[in-house]
Amino acid sequence: MVWNKKAECMEIEEKKELQLKLLKDTVKKAYDNVPFYKKRFDEAGITHEDIQSLEDIEKLPFTTKTDLRDAYPFGMFAVPDDDIVEIHTSSGTTGKPTVSGYTEKDIEIWSEVVARSITMALGTEGDKIQNCYGYGLFTGGLGIHYGSHKVGATVIPISAGNTKRQVEVMKDFQSTILTCTPSYALYLAEVLEKEGLNPEEISLKSGIFGAEMWTEEMREELERRLGIVALNIYGLTEIIGPGVAQECTAKAGLHISDDHFYPEVIDVKTHQALEEGKKGELVLTTLTREGMPIIRFRTKDITALRIGKCECGRTLVRMDRITGRSDDMLKIRGVMVFPSQIERALLKIDDLSPNYQIIVTRPKHLDELEVRVEASAELFSDEMKKMEEVEAKIANKIHKEIGLRVNVSLTEPETLPRSEGKAVRVLDLRKFD
């Protein structure tokens, strides 16, 4: 089933014509109404009339998270304050948050793209969507909420936390779709098992999981333990929130709503555009947003683009699962390591919980990487020799995955922190040494 067949299954050449028209309009709107863009375009000697093809987007300057923070709070808005009906922000954990302003039309666009996401995840007006993303300034909760209303589904706005209550609601209300971070879904699966509930005793059929990176191995774990189809959603506050892209049940990449958001992938070092299938940093431009048009935003997320019709019938460009962030790579003894590589190795081994932590230290001026992972109850109660064998097996798997020797520590079950939002997997303690 497709929510908006005309938009999602549009012929590629027809879509390119639409994208070019929208891009020209967006560039003009940004130049005329946002002082930041007027200054940047003037410095680059660019006007909207210089955009005569989609390839001409490469003439435009990038926008970064630092630019948005410098414009705090409302310096990026392209409409009068009276036209802004809603404001959201990023977490702001590393300084001033980035602010995102929405007009009524922007809320309608947001509802539309999330409705597409829900439909890709088997959602219909007959579903009950248990929305465990946080409500408030974070975009996750309300984005899913608006899309649920658009589809006509029943939304259960339970937000994050109070996990035992979540399980009770899931069972009593017969929730059919779960939306949350994958790490929280894993925690919910754990609590369901403790309550003695198996997948056949709940009504879930699919999960829409995002807001953090996760691996194919994590998908398999969630599908097995919850009895669902687990699908990936992608979005970011700076562009609109969740719904920028969504995986369909073909699981062949995330469909970007590219009639609203124009994607590029660039080389992280040279900043040159990369061809289809080449992995690099995702760059996004809003094509229809009124309140806050954003041009060539560097997401820092590492992916590749795929062009062509999906087996589901959609022609929306697809992006590969995010494998890491250009600012999330750990440089360990000169080797670049993504946390997702370690997760992939861990989830290939039996007798382990999917809960782990990566700890980086620098004793005696040499980087050390420790991976702490919970053993299963059966393994932890086994003899020490068996534990040591599993630790060696883990170390060997990780070495094959990243090319580095690491220290592995098996911990007692349920001793590592659980997350009700985004999981904190990495503790980099080198700056304190």
Side-chain angles (χ1 to χ4, degrees), residues 114-392:
V114 176
R116 297 179 188 182
S117 295
I118 291 169
T119 305
M120 286 185 217
L122 307 176
T124 68
E125 62 184 11
D127 281 295
K128 295 187 183 78
I129 299 176
Q130 185 159 334
N131 186 12
C132 307
Y133 286 115
Y135 281 68
L137 289 175
F138 174 61
T139 56
L142 281 168
I144 297 294
H145 193 101
Y146 294 145
S148 301
H149 281 192
K150 184 81 170 174
V151 168
T154 300
V155 61
I156 304 169
I158 195 165
S159 197
N162 199 352
T163 304
K164 286 198 172 182
R165 175 66 173 152
Q166 297 269 8
V167 169
E168 183 180 283
V169 165
M170 189 183 296
K171 182 173 182 291
D172 294 347
F173 293 8
Q174 298 182 321
S175 309
T176 55
I177 296 176
L178 176 66
T179 69
C180 59
T181 61
S183 56
Y184 190 49
L186 189 65
Y187 185 30
L188 285 168
E190 193 175 277
V191 175
L192 278 164
E193 289 160 4
K194 282 185 189 173
E195 297 291 319
L197 294 169
N198 60 50
E200 291 74 31
E201 294 175 274
I202 57 175
S203 302
L204 290 182
K205 65 178 180 181
S206 63
I208 299 174
F209 304 133
E212 64 187 22
M213 284 171 291
W214 53 301
T215 60
E216 192 63 28
E217 288 76 12
M218 178 69 86
R219 187 212 300 277
E220 292 168 5
E221 184 83 9
L222 289 170
E223 291 188 335
R224 178 180 64 81
R225 294 174 73 171
L226 290 171
I228 59 172
V229 178
L231 299 170
N232 207 338
I233 191 170
Y234 176 79
L236 53 171
T237 302
E238 295 83 1
I239 298 301
I240 205 163
V244 171
Q246 169 71 40
E247 207 172 21
C248 71
T249 53
K251 300 177 182 175
L254 289 82
H255 294 278
I256 300 174
S257 281
D258 56 1
D259 54 329
H260 293 287
F261 318 109
Y262 185 78
E264 305 168 78
V265 167
I266 63 167
D267 183 283
V268 175
K269 292 181 180 177
T270 68
H271 302 168
Q272 296 300 303
L274 296 176
E275 61 189 37
E276 177 190 0
K278 297 291 186 181
K279 190 175 287 190
E281 180 184 343
L282 180 66
V283 173
L284 290 169
T285 297
T286 64
L287 295 176
T288 55
R289 195 159 172 199
E290 280 188 339
M292 203 174 103
I294 296 292
I295 293 169
R296 302 197 82 197
F297 180 71
R298 294 190 60 180
T299 68
K300 302 292 186 181
D301 292 322
I302 303 300
T303 187
L305 298 179
R306 311 286 170 181
I307 299 168
K309 183 180 285 190
C310 177
E311 67 179 64
C312 71
R314 294 175 178 88
T315 57
L316 300 172
V317 67
R318 284 165 288 154
M319 57 183 267
D320 290 353
R321 176 190 292 276
I322 301 294
T323 55
R325 290 176 55 82
S326 59
D327 58 358
D328 188 40
M329 290 185 291
L330 294 167
K331 191 171 185 179
I332 310 294
R333 288 171 248 155
V335 176
M336 296 300 186
V337 177
F338 284 117
S340 58
Q341 293 175 287
I342 293 174
E343 179 177 296
R344 189 177 301 116
L346 292 175
L347 288 172
K348 290 176 180 175
I349 301 172
D350 295 331
D351 290 325
L352 299 180
S353 156
N355 295 295
Y356 65 94
Q357 273 191 335
I358 301 165
I359 300 168
V360 191
T361 56
R362 186 174 285 154
K364 300 180 181 177
H365 310 291
L366 185 65
D367 292 340
E368 293 290 343
L369 191 64
E370 178 188 1
V371 178
R372 295 177 185 170
V373 58
E374 289 179 7
S376 66
E378 295 78 12
L379 177 60
F380 198 78
S381 63
D382 215 327
E383 60 185 43
M384 183 61 69
K385 183 180 178 183
K386 174 67 173 173
M387 295 267 287
E388 290 172 350
E389 287 174 358
V390 173
E391 285 177 341

Side-chain angles (χ1 to χ4, degrees), residues 3-142:
W3 172 254
N4 185 337
K5 191 169 184 178
K6 181 180 178 183
E8 296 177 69
C9 304
M10 189 184 299
E11 291 296 327
I12 291 174
E13 288 306 313
E14 181 185 354
K15 185 189 301 176
K16 286 181 178 179
E17 290 179 16
L18 174 65
Q19 288 172 326
L20 180 57
K21 177 186 179 300
L22 294 172
L23 178 60
K24 289 179 178 180
D25 292 346
T26 295
V27 172
K28 186 175 189 308
K29 182 182 183 69
Y31 182 87
D32 290 343
N33 296 283
V34 184
F36 166 80
Y37 283 122
K38 183 179 189 309
K39 182 173 183 290
R40 281 289 177 89
F41 293 173
D42 285 347
E43 289 171 348
I46 295 291
T47 72
H48 69 282
E49 293 176 350
D50 294 307
I51 307 301
Q52 297 300 317
S53 69
L54 287 174
E55 289 70 29
D56 287 338
I57 196 172
E58 295 175 43
K59 299 175 182 178
L60 299 170
F62 294 110
T63 306
T64 67
K65 190 178 280 282
T66 298
D67 295 328
L68 300 184
R69 285 179 176 144
D70 289 345
Y72 179 90
F74 306 140
M76 297 297 287
F77 289 4
V79 297
D81 289 353
D82 288 352
D83 291 343
I84 297 291
V85 300
E86 191 162 311
I87 291 173
H88 287 274
T89 73
S90 65
S91 62
T93 52
T94 56
K96 286 282 188 186
T98 58
V99 177
S100 196
Y102 302 74
T103 64
E104 288 280 9
K105 181 187 172 187
D106 293 334
I107 296 294
E108 176 57 32
I109 291 167
W110 197 11
S111 303
E112 162 70 19
V113 296
V114 176
R116 297 179 188 182
S117 295
I118 291 169
T119 305
M120 286 185 217
L122 307 176
T124 68
E125 62 184 11
D127 281 295
K128 295 187 183 78
I129 299 176
Q130 185 159 334
N131 186 12
C132 307
Y133 286 115
Y135 281 68
L137 289 175
F138 174 61
T139 56
L142 281 168

